[in-house]
């Protein structure tokens, strides 16, 4: 597939609908496909850590989440069609899954969040089958039990919402043991489905200002957000050195 190499991370040049179609097609596959939606902070993390870059590049689908990544792709003369955020892809995918026999498992968030998200998703997408839920706070030694729980639910589609880079690492380490056919790392999406976190209003999303809205809502993000200007500068100075 057509990709743009942003600081060593090979991002698919794909929009929301096509990404959802592709993931839906994975559900009839033989193994668990890995889908990540990196923003500039995650791409910077991969730029600084080769092992993490390898995890990102091993994905079956890597979409551009965040205005920084969209702008970087344009700067490198390989634009992406649009921002393809994890939450938006998840919504499209739930729409399609609701009309099928496939079921979905929701993994992540604080205790109670995945259950609340499940009940809101059932209201919003009639016909959807939620095979199970599990909160995202666990000790590493509990992972085999979590994998068994997900497998015995029979879900084909798995949302892993542990925040980045935890969810990407978890999916990468466990994909070989999962019987689900697609695992998506979709960050805080369960909080949005559950209604515990509000998504930025359309105005902010349309003008590439979602980061600003989140900063106003969660000032603790300020430190994390210094990654955005660092990312922009690094792409400007070094971006063209990566082979396209
Ligand atoms: N989270 C989790 N387990 C953890 C850490 C975080 O389930 O060990 C959840 C957290 O409750 C939240 C989600 O991961 O629902 C995303 O967190 P955050 O907003 O920090 O990540 P982002 O979406 O910005 O990557």
């Amino acid at each position: 597939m057509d990709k743009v190499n942003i600081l060593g991370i090979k991002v698919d040049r794909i929009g929301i609908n096509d990404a959802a179609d592709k993931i839906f097609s994975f559900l009839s596959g033989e193994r668990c496909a890995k889908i990540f939606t990196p923003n500039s902070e995650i791409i910077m993390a991969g730029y600084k850590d080769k092992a993490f870059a390898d995890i990102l590049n091993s994905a079956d689908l890597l979409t551009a989440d965040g205005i920084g990544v969209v702008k970087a792709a344009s700067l490198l003369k390989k634009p992406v069609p649009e921002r393809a955020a994890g939450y938006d892809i998840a919504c499209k995918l739930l729409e399609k899954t609701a009309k099928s026999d496939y079921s979905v498992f929701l993994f992540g968030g604080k205790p109670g969040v995945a259950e609340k998200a499940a009940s809101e998703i059932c209201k919003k997408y009639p016909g959807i089958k939620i095979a199970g839920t599990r909160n995202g706070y666990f000790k590493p030694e509990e992972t085999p039990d979590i994998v068994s729980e997900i497998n015995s639910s029979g879900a084909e589609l798995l949302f892993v919402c542990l925040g980045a880079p935890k969810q990407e690492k978890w999916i990468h380490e466990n994909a070989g043991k999962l019987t689900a056919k697609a695992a998506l790392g979709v960050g805080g999406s369960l909080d949005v489905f559950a209604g515990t976190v509000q998504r930025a209003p359309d105005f902010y999303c349309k003008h590439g200002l979602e980061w600003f809205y989140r900063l106003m809502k969660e000032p603790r993000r300020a430190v994390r957000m210094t990654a955005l200007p660092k990312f922009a500068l690094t792409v400007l100075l070094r971006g063209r050195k990566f082979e396209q």
Side-chain angles (χ1 to χ4, degrees), residues 37 39 41-42 65 107-111 113 134-138 160-168 186-192 196-197 214 218 220-221 224:
T37 69
N39 59 15
E41 196 185 330
I42 302 308
D65 189 350
F107 170 37
K110 298 203 174 92
V113 169
R134 172 67 166 83
N135 76 68
Y137 293 84
F138 57 93
V160 182
C161 305
L162 306 174
K166 199 169 178 180
Q167 61 201 13
E168 288 78 9
V186 277
S189 294
L190 291 185
D191 290 302
V192 181
T196 50
V197 169
R214 292 191 81 178
E218 297 170 75
R220 68 178 171 86
R221 284 185 169 265
R224 280 175 61 173

Side-chain angles (χ1 to χ4, degrees), residues 49-158:
D49 174 359
K50 169 84 170 69
F52 187 50
D54 289 345
I55 291 179
L56 293 174
N57 285 328
S58 76
D60 295 273
L61 192 67
L62 209 57
T63 72
D65 189 350
I67 190 68
V69 184
V70 173
K71 295 267 185 225
S74 296
L75 192 88
L76 297 168
K77 307 261 187 297
K78 281 197 146 188
V80 290
E82 62 183 336
R83 173 185 177 205
Y87 175 75
D88 295 316
I89 296 172
C91 290
K92 278 278 164 230
L93 206 46
L94 288 170
E95 225 175 277
K96 292 172 80 71
T97 308
K99 296 182 197 129
S100 76
D101 289 333
Y102 296 129
S103 64
V104 51
F105 192 103
L106 310 177
F107 170 37
K110 298 203 174 92
V113 169
E115 288 83 348
K116 180 83 172 73
S119 79
E120 294 303 318
I121 286 171
C122 288
K123 283 186 217 157
K124 201 169 163 199
Y125 304 95
I128 195 84
K129 286 168 272 305
I130 307 283
T133 58
R134 172 67 166 83
N135 76 68
Y137 293 84
F138 57 93
K139 296 193 191 92
E141 58 269 28
E142 290 178 86
T143 289
D145 285 345
I146 296 174
V147 169
S148 300
E149 190 182 334
I150 296 168
N151 288 349
S152 52
S153 80
E156 288 84 3
L157 179 60
L158 171 63

